[in-house]
Amino acid sequence: MKSLYAKGPAELVKILKLEKSYQAKQIYSWLIKGVTDYSLMSDVSKKIRDRLTEEFPSVISSKIVKTQKADSATKLLIELHDGALVECVMLRDGDDRKTACISSQVGCAMGCSFCKTGTMGLVRNLEDYEIVEQMVHLRTLAEDITHIVFMGMGEPLHNFGPLMSAISEFHRPEGFNISMRRMTISTSGLVPGINKLTELNLGIRLAVSLVSANNDLRSRIMKVNRSYPLTELKRALIGFQHVAGKRITLEYCMLHGVNTTKEAAKELSSFTKGLMCVVNLIPWNPIDELEYESPTNTEIREFTKELDSLHINYTLRMPKGRSISGACGQLATSTKR
């Protein structure tokens, strides 16, 4: 363990072998404030600060090495303690609501053919404190971040334990105090992970990268579908919805000439029957290494017209962060700095 982040006051008492619980609460409050130097923990005794310096030389185990800004997004390149790199993004919407888009892995094992992160392969999972520290860094840009989406690098449900620990920390009332309903896990469709979420019934929101409702086409685009085809995925989503009672988001990355036909719309209509969901249409964000193309405006217009005729509930997401390669599917880093 390289950092005390993702540990609450009760855990800090045990880890640091503190005599008084209030000492842990003092340390914890400073961590949430994002202090970078133990000397700034003014109400913590020098004896304890010296111990902290000896046992955990750095308050935070990671650091920002690059910042890129666009009108509605700011992307941070974060160097971890071992030199590995991840990216996270702060997104702003029209109401100035601020959302943290957080990574769960260095790279990704899913290999989705339209996603730049998938070209990296899986380097390693992030520890819970490395997930939490991304939020600490993003809060240096704005303290009033109210929403979190686990839509950065990696498949969140492929790193289940550290993800759940980080979510618990984000939700802690005396800490970041983010409501479960303001956190969203985005998955490529890992059915066992969805079933685990159903069992836990946390109240967290779920988004699924669908891309296609045609089983053969989805298997070509997304390897995960070969293990967990659409019938299994839908069964898991119905189970989640039955327990959670929440609307599910189906993320539909529109690929020029691939999944924007009338037939694709009909297949999508069939898949959504029985689900309380909204389809989030996302025009593919350009990635030099990949051979897909973004849909044309005419193509998008014709596809949405078809969805309207089928009475499919959808939203059309305008690209955010595309100019800084911070939009959906564009996050990727070198293995190390």
Side-chain angles (χ1 to χ4, degrees), residues 261-282:
T261 63
K262 287 186 177 181
E263 185 61 28
K266 291 176 182 177
E267 290 166 339
L268 183 56
S269 175
S270 178
F271 185 82
T272 58
K273 280 183 171 59
L275 286 174
M276 182 172 63
C277 63
V278 59
V279 178
N280 193 4
L281 300 176
I282 309 167

Side-chain angles (χ1 to χ4, degrees), residues 9-24:
E11 293 169 289
L12 292 178
V13 170
K14 296 177 182 178
I15 292 168
L16 300 172
K17 298 180 174 60
L18 298 171
E19 296 177 0
K20 304 291 184 180
S21 60
Y22 77 84
Q23 295 169 325

Side-chain angles (χ1 to χ4, degrees), residues 158-179:
H158 197 207
N159 188 22
F160 199 86
L163 174 71
M164 291 301 108
S165 177
I167 286 172
S168 178
E169 179 57 33
F170 288 136
H171 184 56
R172 196 186 302 275
E174 66 269 40
F176 295 99
N177 194 29
I178 305 291
S179 168

Side-chain angles (χ1 to χ4, degrees), residues 110-114 210-231 292:
M110 296 299 103
C112 299
S113 63
F114 58 90
L210 187 66
V211 184
S212 174
N214 178 290
N215 205 61
D216 291 336
L217 177 58
R218 191 170 191 266
S219 290
R220 291 198 297 272
I221 296 172
M222 303 179 70
K223 293 179 182 179
V224 67
N225 199 72
R226 301 169 195 174
S227 299
Y228 309 108
L230 287 170
T231 51
Y292 292 107

Side-chain angles (χ1 to χ4, degrees), residues 100-116:
C101 179
I102 290 177
S103 296
S104 55
Q105 296 177 311
V106 182
C108 184
M110 296 299 103
C112 299
S113 63
F114 58 90
C115 177
K116 189 172 182 178

Side-chain angles (χ1 to χ4, degrees), residues 117 128 149 169 201 324:
T117 312
D128 55 1
V149 291
E169 179 57 33
N201 192 20
I324 55 173

